[in-house]
Amino acid sequence: MSKKVSDEQYQKTFSFKFRQWLDGTKDPFLDNVEMKKQESFHEDEETIHQREEDKKHLTEKVYDLEHNAEVRIFRKIYRVFCVLFCTFLVLMLLVGVSYLPTFGSADNPANNEVAARYIEKGLQETGAVNIVTGMILDYRAFDTLGESHVLFIATCTVLILLRLDRKEDKIAYEADDRSHEPKNDVILQTVARILVPPIFIFGCYIILAGHLGPGGGFSGGAVIGAGLILYLNAFGFAKTEKFFIAKTYRRMCFGALACYSIAKSYSFYTGANHIESIIPLGTPGAILSSGLILLLNICVGIVVAGTMYTFYCMFRKGGY
């Protein structure tokens, strides 16, 4: 059991003084620090005169760009170097163009064995009926992985530059969310209710059928992102944030990029070591075919759709 002390004894303890300091009811340095009254500052005439001379010198010599000899010389040298640099750059480009092969020549790089391999054996090796999809998500999937990461990094950069951190700024923007748009526009909202579901379905179809015909993750993701932006313009952030917030975007993009990286790392490893992949290519023309291309299209579509919507939100009000 603790011993009960009186109020006078408790006020002399360290715990009581610490609690006062913590609550802000007493300043521990009050009456304990020697303080002197600040004397009025008077500047002598010589210092004032010197300051006026310096100000006059800056105005006449430094900030007077029209009559400053050093600035005039620098501008002339700058113009001469600009002309020389542009001339050199134009000459280098002309020399480089002169070494290009003749247009339509059979020896052009566009007619080499790589393009022939894509056309002749693309269906057999990738299982994708769409040769372009087989090329960008199988033969050159590493480039597509880099492009997806570039989109994500671009979104992070925009987020850093445009995001609103202060709560009062967010509240002000949310209160002024639709000040520049029609408020409760019946025509816009009715059209959005009719068009947004087909837009989402069409975007999903483009992504899922990207290995069977024209389309893929990039174009399908752009369609879905446009549908999200249309819904946002019609109904505002209050309804859109019920199913799509910043945390949703981060989780979707991270999951999609991680899934893409893991899936293609397996393909890179097996291909570099000439190991037969256990993932079947399926029957060409079927929806579940072309190995990992269908999964990669879905990952790319998620990243593109989220990036488009996030860019719009960030440029509109700095967050969502």
Side-chain angles (χ1 to χ4, degrees):
M1 295 179 63
S2 59
K3 183 179 179 182
K4 185 176 181 180
V5 297
S6 62
D7 293 340
E8 295 181 357
Q9 293 177 338
Y10 174 67
Q11 292 177 2
K12 296 179 181 180
T13 59
F14 172 77
S15 59
F16 176 76
K17 296 179 181 179
F18 178 75
R19 184 170 182 177
Q20 278 190 317
W21 172 79
L22 192 63
D23 295 338
T25 56
K26 183 180 179 180
D27 187 355
F29 298 104
L30 188 63
D31 299 328
N32 294 324
V33 179
E34 183 180 359
M35 301 179 63
K36 294 182 179 179
K37 185 178 180 181
Q38 185 177 4
E39 299 179 357
S40 58
F41 177 74
H42 296 285
E43 197 171 22
D44 56 355
E45 295 293 335
E46 183 178 357
T47 305
I48 297 175
H49 179 71
Q50 184 65 35
R51 182 182 298 107
E52 294 294 333
E53 290 293 330
D54 294 340
K55 184 178 180 181
K56 184 178 179 181
H57 175 74
L58 287 174
T59 305
E60 296 179 354
K61 301 296 182 180
V62 179
Y63 296 128
D64 188 10
L65 302 181
E66 295 182 358
H67 302 88
N68 193 317
E70 295 180 359
V71 174
R72 292 200 303 268
I73 295 173
F74 173 78
R75 286 178 175 176
K76 292 180 180 179
I77 296 175
Y78 177 78
R79 292 169 183 170
V80 171
F81 271 97
C82 287
V83 173
L84 292 177
F85 175 77
C86 292
T87 305
F88 175 76
L89 181 61
V90 171
L91 291 176
M92 291 294 294
L93 292 175
L94 292 175
V95 171
V97 170
S98 65
Y99 282 98
L100 291 176
T102 307
F103 181 77
S105 175
D107 297 331
N108 286 354
N111 301 324
N112 59 15
E113 64 277 4
V114 176
R117 180 64 174 264
Y118 292 162
I119 297 173
E120 295 173 0
K121 295 188 177 182
L123 180 61
Q124 176 185 351
E125 295 178 347
T126 66
V129 179
N130 187 354
I131 299 176
V132 177
T133 301
M135 179 182 66
I136 64 175
L137 290 178
D138 193 285
Y139 292 116
R140 301 183 60 184
F142 193 76
D143 296 343
T144 308
L145 175 63
E147 293 169 4
S148 301
H149 279 80
V150 166
L151 288 175
F152 181 72
I153 294 172
T155 308
C156 295
T157 306
V158 174
L159 179 66
I160 294 172
L161 294 176
L162 299 181
R163 68 173 298 174
L164 297 175
D165 291 325
R166 295 190 304 174
K167 291 184 178 180
E168 53 268 23
D169 292 338
K170 292 182 179 180
I171 295 173
Y173 269 94
E174 289 173 0
D176 196 41
D177 178 25
R178 306 182 64 194
S179 60
H180 303 292
E181 300 174 1
K183 296 183 178 180
N184 298 324
D185 191 319
V186 177
I187 298 177
L188 178 60
Q189 292 181 355
T190 304
V191 172
R193 288 191 183 97
I194 297 173
L195 291 182
V196 168
I199 289 175
F200 286 163
I201 295 173
F202 183 60
C204 294
Y205 164 76
I206 295 175
I207 294 175
L208 298 177
H211 59 295
L212 306 178
F218 287 101
S219 52
V223 172
I224 295 176
L228 287 171
I229 294 173
L230 174 60
Y231 187 89
L232 174 62
N233 284 326
F235 301 102
F237 280 90
K239 289 189 176 181
T240 310
E241 288 182 350
K242 292 181 179 179
F243 63 90
F244 199 105
I245 58 177
K247 186 180 295 184
T248 306
Y249 167 73
R250 289 195 295 266
R251 291 176 178 176
M252 288 171 54
C253 273
F254 176 78
L257 292 175
C259 180
Y260 191 113
S261 302
I262 294 172
K264 288 314 297 181
S265 296
Y266 168 77
S267 299
F268 296 152
Y269 177 80
T270 56
N273 294 277
H274 303 285
I275 300 174
E276 189 69 23
S277 177
I278 62 174
I279 300 175
L281 297 179
T283 304
I287 185 68
L288 297 177
S289 62
S290 67
L292 294 171
I293 291 181
L294 176 61
L295 176 63
L296 301 182
N297 260 330
I298 295 174
C299 294
V300 173
I302 291 174
V303 174
V304 173
T307 301
M308 282 188 57
Y309 177 77
T310 301
F311 274 170
Y312 181 82
C313 293
M314 296 304 301
F315 279 101
R316 174 169 165 176
K317 74 165 189 175
Y320 57 98

